[in-house]
Amino acid sequence: MTFAKMSWQPQYRSSKYRHVFGKPANKENCYDNVPITRSVHDNHFCAVNPSFIAVVTECAGGGAFIVIPIQQSGKLDPHYPKICGHRGNVLDIKWNPFDDYVIASCSEDASVKIWDIPKPYVTKSITNARKELVGHSRRVGLIEWHPTASNIIFSTAYDYKIMIWNIDNEEPIIYSPVRTIECHKDVILSMSFNLDGSLMATSCKDRKVRVIDPLKGCIIQESDGKTHKASKVLFLGNMKKLVSTGTSRWNNRQVVLWDQDDLSVPLHQEDLDGSSGLLFPFFDNDTDMLYLVGKGEGNIRYYEVNLQKSYLQYLNEYRSCLPQKGIGVLPKRGVDVSSCEVFRFYKLVTIKGLIEPVSMIVPRRSESYQEDIYPMTAGTRPALTAHEWLSGINRGPLLVSLKPGLKSSQFHIANSNEEDELLSKEPKKLCEEKPPTKTLWEIEYKTEIIREDRGRRRFTEKSQETRNSLISNGLDLFECPAPKTENELLQMFYKQQEEIRRLRDQLSQRDIQIRQLELEIKNVRNSSVY
């Protein structure tokens, strides 16, 4: 009798983001009486940076949007100044990722405008744009800044074209783009860039997902659009994967994961529900978390993305009775690290004229800076000039640390060519540089120190057992007050589990060091005998 070999896999896996929860702001920190647009266009209608919130508004006789300082919460003045200059409704707005005082807007009047916000900020209406980009023949529905190159902006319109503009000049009106991509046969619904901006993904009204080389303007990969009708597409940071949201053959809302090098077959697809609202995907490259925000509903689903199967690990869902018309996302450099906030949304609630911030928080008891959930993130300095990118150079973003009080040391992520060069040089260095040999006395001395340290720890653990009467659930009652709420109890429990896990890792590392040193002693003794 033969038995099939089976491998058991646990249903849940360890993750530091498993207990992330959404926390809506209280009424004092919301923005009330905001005239949010009632346009039916499928866009975010909101753009956020650490200084300002920009929202597309209702305006008679043209298009407009308002800019609110992020600290100025509360009720908005009914006559609050607007930024108006478009002859048609504003369809999209985007802040410059390298300048918090520069914003771009596009409109039904087939133009793109670049606006300067005054420094210091003064609440006054602005009607004159710094630059106007005129090249599309029909209304412009989407704009995107290049993620690493300065002064490069992309626009797409209902003429099925993507235009690349270089605004690094003195001309107030630019009539001709530096590149025009004409590979789509229908309206483009979304655009997204990979980490260094060398690739662009688009979703189109023909329901296909395409990966395009923006400089050459050619299609690298294309899906068939038969099993999945894509509405929005997004690059997943440096994972070399794409995620798209849309509908299945049976009109169920669906999220699909793709390999950017092969769009013929999806890596993973998951049906969510039968609702008709659009799903906006957002990805946090620092935590590998994917957020799905439903238009016309108040829920936000969030997942953790893995490099291996299963690719999407469902974490939880933030639920609210306030439906969002649009959504804005704060860049990572603006989150509150003291409260362990890893992401922040700004929900546009049209029925109440309200902008409601929602913070995604990792529950931690300690108030100190948590380095494991805040890796280096994209800063405000461009990695390339417009001329460098147009000449064919690609480079990853310059990164900064979010640690308070730390000077912003910045460096760039090496692109694939630079990584190959570094890897080809590394083996030579390893061969040339030999580690210094240790004497037998040094090895024995180090081993003895580690053994003494372990003995000291065991003695401390035994003495700690005598204090059991004063210890409750691993916490000293004199040093730490008892939890008063269920939330505090959960936080204490998670902290205790993390501490136990950390101590076990340290103990296992000590054992490995001792084994290595004992092997070195044997090798030295054997070599001395021969």
Side-chain angles (χ1 to χ4, degrees), residues 194-195 199 234-243 257-263 267 283 285 307 416 419-420:
N194 65 345
L195 211 59
L199 294 175
L234 188 69
F235 262 104
L236 297 181
N238 55 1
M239 287 187 165
K240 295 188 176 182
K241 289 180 175 59
L242 300 168
V243 67
L257 202 67
W258 307 87
D259 182 354
Q260 72 177 30
D261 299 322
D262 183 13
L263 297 184
L267 292 173
F283 183 68
N285 188 52
L307 289 171
S416 56
E419 284 178 356
D420 292 340

Side-chain angles (χ1 to χ4, degrees), residues 136-182:
H136 289 286
S137 58
R138 298 184 66 184
R139 58 178 176 172
V140 184
L142 286 170
I143 48 175
E144 288 288 347
W145 294 90
H146 192 279
T148 60
S150 62
N151 296 314
I152 294 290
I153 189 169
F154 290 67
S155 64
T156 177
Y158 280 65
D159 56 7
Y160 312 156
K161 296 177 183 177
I162 298 175
M163 293 187 177
I164 307 173
W165 306 86
N166 179 11
I167 61 172
D168 189 14
N169 53 52
E170 300 298 327
E171 299 175 10
I173 302 177
I174 303 175
Y175 292 97
S176 56
V178 291
R179 298 275 193 285
T180 302
I181 301 172
E182 300 184 60

Side-chain angles (χ1 to χ4, degrees), residues 420-440:
D420 292 340
E421 290 176 8
L422 289 171
L423 289 172
S424 63
K425 291 177 183 177
E426 271 185 12
K428 295 179 182 178
K429 289 183 180 179
L430 289 173
C431 295
E432 291 169 3
E433 297 177 8
K434 294 182 180 179
T437 57
K438 298 178 182 178
T439 64
L440 180 62

Side-chain angles (χ1 to χ4, degrees), residues 453-463 511:
D453 187 46
R454 285 192 68 183
R456 213 175 292 117
R457 288 193 178 194
R458 285 173 183 168
F459 175 77
T460 307
E461 289 173 2
K462 287 180 180 178
S463 62
D511 291 336

Side-chain angles (χ1 to χ4, degrees), residues 211-496:
V211 175
I212 300 168
D213 186 329
L215 281 174
K216 296 178 181 177
C218 59
I219 297 175
I220 300 173
Q221 288 288 327
E222 184 179 30
S223 68
D224 58 10
K226 293 179 181 178
T227 58
H228 172 70
K229 301 174 183 178
S231 298
K232 299 292 179 183
V233 67
L234 188 69
F235 262 104
L236 297 181
N238 55 1
M239 287 187 165
K240 295 188 176 182
K241 289 180 175 59
L242 300 168
V243 67
S244 65
T245 58
T247 56
S248 65
R249 288 179 178 177
W250 301 275
N251 285 331
N252 291 325
R253 288 201 299 187
Q254 194 177 51
V255 57
V256 175
L257 202 67
W258 307 87
D259 182 354
Q260 72 177 30
D261 299 322
D262 183 13
L263 297 184
S264 59
V265 179
L267 292 173
H268 174 80
Q269 56 187 17
E270 184 176 323
D271 286 5
L272 300 177
D273 52 41
S275 298
S276 58
L278 190 69
L279 285 172
F280 293 114
F282 297 94
F283 183 68
D284 183 1
N285 188 52
D286 299 332
T287 61
D288 294 337
M289 287 179 65
L290 172 68
Y291 301 87
L292 300 180
V293 181
K295 183 179 179 181
E297 61 184 69
N299 301 342
I300 301 174
R301 296 177 176 88
Y302 42 101
Y303 302 78
E304 191 170 5
V305 184
N306 309 313
L307 289 171
Q308 299 173 349
K309 292 183 179 181
S310 59
Y311 296 104
L312 286 182
Q313 182 76 25
Y314 176 78
L315 295 175
N316 210 335
E317 182 175 8
Y318 167 77
R319 294 178 178 270
S320 170
C321 59
L322 298 176
Q324 54 252 4
K325 166 80 174 181
I327 199 86
V329 173
L330 182 70
K332 198 60 172 287
R333 54 191 171 89
V335 299
D336 182 11
V337 296
S338 63
S339 63
C340 297
E341 180 186 40
V342 291
F343 216 70
R344 190 189 302 172
F345 294 98
Y346 285 81
K347 292 175 52 176
L348 304 186
V349 185
T350 311
I351 57 175
K352 290 193 172 184
L354 183 73
I355 304 175
E356 182 187 38
V358 177
S359 299
M360 309 307 293
I361 294 174
V362 179
R364 296 280 175 93
R365 185 176 178 82
S366 174
E367 294 181 358
S368 61
Y369 180 70
Q370 307 290 314
E371 292 188 7
D372 60 324
I373 61 175
Y374 294 116
M376 302 285 278
T377 192
T380 55
R381 283 179 54 194
L384 294 164
T385 63
H387 177 72
E388 285 175 331
W389 183 76
L390 291 169
S391 64
I393 301 173
N394 291 304
R395 194 175 296 149
L398 296 176
L399 305 180
V400 295
S401 173
L402 297 179
K403 190 169 186 178
L406 191 68
K407 292 183 180 179
S408 300
S409 56
Q410 303 187 345
F411 60 91
H412 76 273
I413 298 176
N415 59 26
S416 56
N417 295 331
E418 290 172 336
E419 284 178 356
D420 292 340
E421 290 176 8
L422 289 171
L423 289 172
S424 63
K425 291 177 183 177
E426 271 185 12
K428 295 179 182 178
K429 289 183 180 179
L430 289 173
C431 295
E432 291 169 3
E433 297 177 8
K434 294 182 180 179
T437 57
K438 298 178 182 178
T439 64
L440 180 62
W441 181 85
E442 288 175 338
I443 295 170
E444 289 180 341
Y445 179 71
K446 195 169 182 180
T447 307
E448 192 63 30
I449 288 175
I450 292 174
R451 281 176 177 162
E452 286 180 2
D453 187 46
R454 285 192 68 183
R456 213 175 292 117
R457 288 193 178 194
R458 285 173 183 168
F459 175 77
T460 307
E461 289 173 2
K462 287 180 180 178
S463 62
Q464 192 71 19
E465 289 176 1
T466 60
R467 301 180 61 192
N468 283 340
S469 58
L470 301 176
I471 300 294
S472 174
N473 200 20
L475 295 172
D476 197 330
L477 297 176
F478 291 106
E479 294 178 3
C480 182
K484 297 178 181 179
T485 64
E486 186 180 353
N487 190 25
E488 288 183 5
L489 180 64
L490 281 171
Q491 289 181 359
M492 292 177 72
F493 173 73
Y494 298 142
K495 184 180 178 182
Q496 187 182 27

Side-chain angles (χ1 to χ4, degrees), residues 496-509:
Q496 187 182 27
Q497 294 298 314
E498 287 178 7
E499 185 68 18
I500 292 171
R501 196 179 298 114
R502 186 181 65 81
L503 291 172
R504 282 177 178 167
D505 291 341
Q506 285 184 357
L507 192 61
S508 63
Q509 289 297 326

